[in-house]
Amino acid sequence: MKKGLSLVELMVVLLLITVIGAALFTVLSTGRTSWYSADTQISLQQELRKAMRQMTDDLRQSSGNQISFPADGNAYNSISFFVAEGVLGSGAINWSADAINYTLTDGQIVWEQGMDSRVLANNVTAMNFVRQPASSNIVRINL
């Protein structure tokens, strides 16, 4: 009658534990990589949404004739425009003294007005602005 485990049985058990451990590590490692990748993508999308919201809010305060580039259907890499600051007693619109500028510099969307500037989004690969001749008051923003 045998009592205990033989060396061969012990080695088989260790081999099974090693294979199961390696498989478990691979699954967990892949899951962690997917988690970080998704987290980075979500962060980028949130930054782009914030930048887009800021741009649309500013552009809504402007007028088609206050935008720096023509409505010719071409894509432009930056945009400058003036925003309304109020209405004069004569009924004319009082436009801001400094234009608002949006540019893509070194992967960052930069907002500037006068001496003020701030980064709205990071890790952006492309940004352009388009106005069609038929609808010159509409600015299409591609990010």
Side-chain angles (χ1 to χ4, degrees):
M1 216 194 261
K2 236 166 70 164
K3 293 187 181 188
L5 299 172
S6 70
L7 184 59
V8 173
E9 291 171 331
L10 186 59
M11 291 186 70
V12 168
V13 169
L14 285 174
L15 177 67
L16 288 174
I17 289 173
T18 303
V19 168
I20 291 170
L24 186 61
F25 176 77
T26 303
V27 168
L28 291 175
S29 177
T30 303
R32 185 184 69 196
T33 302
S34 296
W35 175 273
Y36 288 133
S37 175
D39 189 47
T40 301
Q41 185 176 6
I42 289 169
S43 296
L44 178 59
Q45 288 174 346
Q46 288 176 337
E47 285 194 38
L48 289 175
R49 283 188 187 111
K50 287 190 305 188
M52 185 66 83
R53 186 173 32 251
Q54 177 72 43
M55 283 188 256
T56 55
D57 289 347
D58 285 346
L59 278 166
R60 285 183 178 148
Q61 297 177 37
S62 188
S63 172
N65 61 357
Q66 297 296 319
I67 298 174
S68 63
F69 61 88
D72 58 5
N74 293 323
Y76 293 88
N77 294 327
S78 64
I79 188 171
S80 297
F81 56 92
F82 294 92
V83 294
E85 290 186 332
V87 178
L88 300 174
S90 64
I93 296 174
N94 183 27
W95 296 101
S96 60
D98 295 319
I100 293 176
N101 302 304
Y102 285 98
T103 55
L104 181 63
T105 306
D106 296 328
Q108 296 180 322
I109 298 176
V110 179
W111 172 93
E112 296 174 318
Q113 185 176 25
M115 299 301 290
D116 297 332
S117 71
R118 68 177 179 262
V119 174
L120 297 180
N122 292 300
N123 302 320
V124 180
T125 56
M127 176 179 76
N128 62 49
F129 304 91
V130 179
R131 292 172 62 199
Q132 298 297 332
S135 53
S136 63
N137 286 335
I138 297 174
V139 176
R140 187 178 72 217
I141 305 169
N142 300 313
L143 293 174

